[in-house]
């Protein structure tokens, strides 16, 4: 079985349906295509979370100061 993931953005519901029909007509006999449709409102509600990379503490020798 061949599985393909496609990502594209469509400006309207009608345009999206045109792309769905087009993709459906190209699916191989032993293939699988999944399409996830998201509205503008749903897309605008996307929340992204990123972790903060913690810096490793490096132990360094203190600087030696010289006074003249």
């Amino acid at each position: 079985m061949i599985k393909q993931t496609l990502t594209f953005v469509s400006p309207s519901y009608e345009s999206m349906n045109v792309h769905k029909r087009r993709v459906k007509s190209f699916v191989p006999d032993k293939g699988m295509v999944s399409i996830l449709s998201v509205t503008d409102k749903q897309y605008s509600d996307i929340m992204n979370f990123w972790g903060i990379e913690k810096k490793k503490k490096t132990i360094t020798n203190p600087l030696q100061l010289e006074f003249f």
Side-chain angles (χ1 to χ4, degrees):
M1 170 166 298
I2 300 168
K3 179 166 169 83
Q4 176 136 13
T5 303
L6 303 171
T7 304
F8 58 90
V9 178
S10 184
S12 69
Y13 188 76
E14 294 79 17
S15 177
M16 179 178 56
N17 285 333
V18 170
H19 288 295
K20 285 180 181 180
R21 284 193 299 273
R22 185 169 162 248
V23 168
K24 185 177 179 179
S25 71
F26 290 118
V27 176
D29 293 337
K30 293 184 178 182
M32 176 184 167
V33 175
S34 299
I35 297 175
L36 173 65
S37 302
V38 179
T39 65
D40 290 341
K41 173 66 176 147
Q42 291 168 329
Y43 184 80
S44 69
D45 288 339
I46 289 176
M47 296 176 66
N48 296 302
F49 301 96
W50 289 276
I52 298 172
E53 185 177 342
K54 295 179 182 176
K55 294 182 180 180
K56 294 181 181 178
K57 292 184 179 179
T58 57
I59 300 173
T60 58
N61 293 330
L63 295 175
Q64 183 67 38
L65 298 177
E66 291 184 28
F67 293 100
F68 296 99

